[in-house]
Amino acid sequence: EVHLVESGGGLVQAGGSLRLSCATSGLIFDNYAISWFRQAPGKEREGVSCISISDGITWSTDSVEGRFTISSDNAKSTVYLQMNSLKPEDTGVYYCAATDYGRGCWDYDYYGRGTQVTVSS
């Protein structure tokens, strides 16, 4: 059975940092792209960042470029999202998702339950 478990969310002041973790189990880690997306109340779901595990290629949406960094620890089958210079508009529930290699980042096969990130002004 596949599991994706997010952790690391919390309440932080604007300008602060958080590091989110996505621990995976039950899948062949190298065969997937792992992505982070977020959902804020009243807003559309937004793709934030993605990493292709097999080749390390990453992508981030323009609004977080230069502030967020996605990385993976293949030995731990875990993906991280380092979030710096946080802004109130980064507030939302952050989910990680896994997409089988070759189908991009957003055609999810699996996703977790999310972790809340709240940035106060």
Side-chain angles (χ1 to χ4, degrees):
E1 189 176 357
V2 175
H3 293 282
L4 283 76
V5 180
E6 302 93 338
S7 61
L11 172 64
V12 64
Q13 288 189 329
S17 298
L18 287 172
R19 189 176 82 152
L20 306 184
S21 298
C22 172
T24 75
S25 61
L27 53 74
I28 301 173
F29 196 58
D30 285 1
N31 287 2
Y32 286 84
I34 306 295
S35 52
W36 289 94
F37 64 93
R38 63 189 179 190
Q39 181 81 60
K43 293 187 178 180
E44 300 244 334
R45 180 184 299 176
E46 179 185 24
V48 175
S49 193
C50 178
I51 184 167
S52 174
I53 300 303
S54 62
D55 53 22
I57 293 174
T58 63
W59 171 90
S60 293
T61 192
D62 286 347
S63 63
V64 308
E65 191 71 50
R67 299 189 298 122
F68 292 9
T69 303
I70 190 169
S71 63
S72 68
D73 184 334
N74 292 7
K76 296 182 178 180
S77 297
T78 298
V79 168
Y80 303 99
L81 187 67
Q82 178 67 44
M83 306 188 297
N84 299 329
S85 302
L86 282 160
K87 304 176 180 179
E89 52 263 43
D90 294 318
T91 294
V93 180
Y94 283 67
Y95 301 85
C96 66
T99 305
D100 200 0
Y101 185 77
R103 302 206 326 265
C105 292
W106 313 111
D107 187 15
Y108 319 134
D109 295 290
Y110 311 99
Y111 58 92
R113 294 188 175 184
T115 185
Q116 176 71 46
V117 171
T118 303
V119 184
S120 63
S121 56

